Amino acid sequence: MGEDHGNKMSREERLAAKLRENLHRRKAQGRAMETQSGESGGEALSKPRDDG
């Protein structure tokens, strides 16, 4: 039973590491998208004006 608990912890640690990697990757993608939108004027992300 001790080995099962040890395997569970290592599995949880692996999952936590994968989640951290995914978070870092997604943040990097978001920063890259912000950089690209800044260079192109950011028109795609701006809110439409209400002229009414």
Side-chain angles (χ1 to χ4, degrees):
M1 285 175 66
E3 292 180 358
D4 291 340
H5 187 263
N7 288 339
K8 182 178 179 185
M9 291 303 293
S10 65
R11 178 179 182 266
E12 289 176 356
E13 290 171 357
R14 285 195 310 269
L15 290 174
K18 289 290 186 181
L19 285 172
R20 283 192 300 271
E21 290 173 13
N22 189 22
L23 178 64
H24 290 292
R25 186 171 55 246
R26 295 292 298 259
K27 283 187 174 184
Q29 288 174 346
R31 286 191 294 266
M33 289 179 67
E34 287 178 4
T35 302
Q36 289 176 353
S37 67
E39 291 174 356
S40 64
E43 292 298 323
L45 298 177
S46 63
K47 294 182 180 178
R49 290 186 357 197
D50 185 15
D51 291 335

